[in-house]
Amino acid sequence: MQIGLIGLQNSGKTTLFKTLAEGSSGVASNRAVVGVPDSRLENLTELFNPKKEVHATLEVVDIPGLQVGDDGKMKITSDFLIKVKNNDLLLHVVREFANDSVSHPEGRIDPLADIEFLETEFLLSDLEMVENRIEKLKKELMKTKTDKIIKEMSLFEVFKEHLENEKPLRTVNMDENDLRLLSGYQFLTMKPVIIGVNFSDESKDKVDDLISKIKVKFPSFENNVVPFFAQFEMELSQLDEEEAEAFKEDLGITDSALTRILRTSYQLLGLQSFFTVGEDECRAWTIKTGYTAQQSAGVIHSDFFSKFIRAEVVHYDDYMTHKSFSKCKEAGVWRLEGKEYIVKDGDILNIRHS
């Protein structure tokens, strides 16, 4: 899964990227594979003392900032739109902080206006795509009237009306058949979005009020607004754990930006984690919510899918209560499950295969 960081120039986007990439693997100039923080995995590692601990990962890409044109206005380029479309989720960084030495490209500090600017550009991009597709579908309908073409035309007409009313496509009610029709498209306003609001530590008293205003003006982001302090948190990432905790307590921060953003990303992408444990390795694996035991086994290794027999399952909470598989068996919380078992977030699995 890939998260794209987007935002206007001087929003703190690249500072946030550097914080997220701190200590991660596969770091390039604008791309990093980031481990997903999970205290459950750390607790299991303490119990099993394996040779290695492996966190689930997400890829984070810092998409180059938008440029100011000769007329002093922000410009959306086709190259920018192409790079945005290649991401599963977008993290839109907007600035609240004021800093005379780091000017806003349009000479103002207005997070609501910054959000609206990109949302409007994405709406217009999607509307152009929808209108072009409708014209092609009209020509196809003159030749043949298949159920698929009729269904697609009906759906795209709904899209057109929705976009013309300045509503993002993520708010359209669609069933699985609709989503299958759209598998070849990359609509920008259909992508899940996190709004990351970059505050300075001096403006922490403004957080609640601004978050409320964003949720009122952009209701499709109601549960997806994450406040953070980019400069402060980058400095924190360079301190030892004890010093960092003391500074976070002073500012009232309980979780890091990385933890809050990745937790929200998991929720928006419909992801969850299961664990495999042992003396060699304790590992968190990322799966889609609703995956069966057999599908989850295939994430570990393709052979485990085709040669799946049973899954030994105990939930993390039960394991931490009893502290061993033998005691979990005695308590009746360890069980064998078949291929159709729906894996739950926090399950510990051992796959039996041929």
Side-chain angles (χ1 to χ4, degrees), residues 47-221:
L47 288 176
F48 283 87
N49 193 27
K51 294 175 184 176
K52 63 178 179 177
E53 174 188 88
V54 183
H55 283 260
T57 59
L58 290 171
E59 188 171 18
V60 179
V61 179
D62 181 12
I63 299 173
L66 302 169
Q67 301 299 312
V68 179
D70 294 336
D71 59 357
K73 298 293 185 180
M74 296 301 301
K75 299 292 184 184
I76 295 285
T77 65
S78 57
D79 181 59
F80 172 80
L81 293 175
I82 290 169
K83 289 175 180 175
V84 169
K85 288 179 180 180
N86 290 331
N87 294 273
D88 300 293
L89 178 146
L90 302 175
L91 171 54
H92 182 188
V93 179
V94 297
R95 68 181 281 183
E96 188 285 331
F97 69 91
N99 186 333
D100 292 339
S101 63
V102 183
S103 62
H104 187 285
E106 294 198 343
R108 53 166 170 73
I109 303 298
D110 188 345
L112 294 172
D114 291 348
I115 297 170
E116 187 169 34
F117 169 75
L118 268 187
E119 275 295 287
T120 299
E121 293 296 331
F122 289 171
L123 280 165
L124 292 173
S125 175
D126 284 354
L127 181 58
E128 181 180 7
M129 189 187 303
V130 166
E131 289 175 336
N132 289 340
R133 183 56 183 160
I134 286 175
E135 289 305 309
K136 290 180 181 178
L137 288 170
K138 285 179 179 177
K139 293 177 182 177
E140 290 181 28
L141 283 170
M142 293 174 66
K143 299 174 184 176
T144 180
K145 289 187 167 95
T146 65
D147 289 343
K148 180 180 180 298
I149 296 174
I150 293 170
K151 174 65 177 174
E152 190 174 345
M153 173 63 91
S154 176
L155 184 60
F156 272 65
E157 286 175 340
V158 171
F159 283 3
K160 184 173 184 292
E161 182 180 2
H162 216 72
L163 292 165
E164 286 175 340
N165 289 323
E166 300 182 357
K167 296 178 182 178
L169 296 181
R170 70 179 72 90
T171 62
V172 177
N173 290 323
M174 287 180 280
D175 58 27
E176 291 184 6
N177 291 327
D178 294 332
L179 294 174
R180 275 195 289 271
L181 275 175
L182 299 172
S183 60
Y185 296 95
Q186 290 279 13
F187 290 111
L188 294 173
T189 66
M190 199 175 286
K191 290 185 179 296
V193 176
I194 298 172
I195 301 296
V197 187
N198 186 10
F199 291 86
S200 65
D201 51 349
E202 293 88 3
S203 59
K204 61 182 179 180
D205 294 336
K206 300 179 182 179
V207 172
D208 290 343
D209 181 57
L210 180 56
I211 298 300
S212 296
K213 289 178 180 177
I214 292 172
K215 291 179 178 181
V216 169
K217 187 172 178 61
F218 305 97
S220 69
F221 298 142

